[in-house]
Every structure is written in C-alpha cells, then in structure tokens.
C-alpha cells in the first residue's frame, strides 16, 4: 500500500511541556487525557529528571490554540515552546535541561 502524501496527513504542531515534578509516562498520559478530552494529541518524547519532567506532544493545527490554553491551565504544568517541526522543539528543549 503506498504511503500517504504529505498534504493528506494534515498539519500539526509539536508542543514542549514542562511538568514541575517527576512523573512517569502513564501518569502523564492520564493527566493529559483528562485535561485534553475531545482534542487530538499524542505523547512522543519524555525526559524524566529528579524534580521535573519534559515532554513533547503532537497536536493537530486546528486544536493547537485550545491545546496550549488548556495545558497552561493545568497546575504544575506549562508549555515552553512549539513548532511545526519536532527537530526544532527538541533543539529548543535542550536549553532547559
């Protein structure tokens, strides 16, 4: 089966988030799932440190603004950068590590 063309896959944004505590991926997915209910998102990268956790999620372009607003309302969690390219988000997140 041929691969979908780029335009058919839809536009998306990568969002880097910082959680002000150490949290495992299951707990983070549960927290995000409850908060982002009805929005399309997927957890990609996660870097767990002793006192905080960094993660990158993918969201659709149409849900992007609402996703940012919702994430920043969650206590102990904040968005730190976003881009249409995951490579750019990974590079920017390195300055926080």
């Amino acid at each position: 089966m041929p691969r979908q063309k780029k335009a058919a896959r839809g536009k998306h944004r990568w969002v880097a988030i910082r959680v002000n505590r150490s949290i495992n991926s299951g707990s983070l997915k549960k927290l995000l799932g409850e908060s982002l209910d009805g929005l399309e998102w997927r957890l990609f990268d996660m870097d767990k440190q002793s006192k905080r956790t960094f993660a990158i999620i993918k969201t659709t372009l149409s849900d992007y603004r609402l996703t940012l607003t919702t994430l920043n309302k969650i206590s102990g969690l904040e968005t730190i950068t976003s881009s249409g390219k995951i490579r750019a988000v990974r590079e920017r997140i390195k300055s926080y590590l």
Side-chain angles (χ1 to χ4, degrees), residues 2 8 21 31 57 60 62:
R21 62 188 164 108
L31 174 67
I57 63 168
T60 61
S62 59

Side-chain angles (χ1 to χ4, degrees), residues 14-20 32 36 53-57 59 64-83 89 93 96:
W14 302 94
V15 181
I17 57 175
R18 176 175 51 204
V19 184
N20 293 328
L32 294 175
L36 299 175
T53 304
F54 292 94
I56 299 175
I57 63 168
T59 187
Y64 171 66
R65 290 283 174 204
L66 185 55
T67 300
L68 283 183
T69 304
T70 306
L71 289 172
N72 285 316
K73 288 181 182 176
I74 301 171
S75 178
L77 190 145
E78 65 180 325
T79 59
I80 52 176
T81 190
S82 59
S83 176
V89 174
I93 210 169
Y96 289 92

Side-chain angles (χ1 to χ4, degrees), residues 24-42:
N24 64 33
S25 63
S27 297
L28 182 58
K29 283 181 183 179
K30 183 178 178 185
L31 174 67
L32 294 175
E34 292 168 354
S35 302
L36 299 175
D37 188 38
L39 300 175
E40 194 174 327
W41 65 275
R42 184 172 168 203

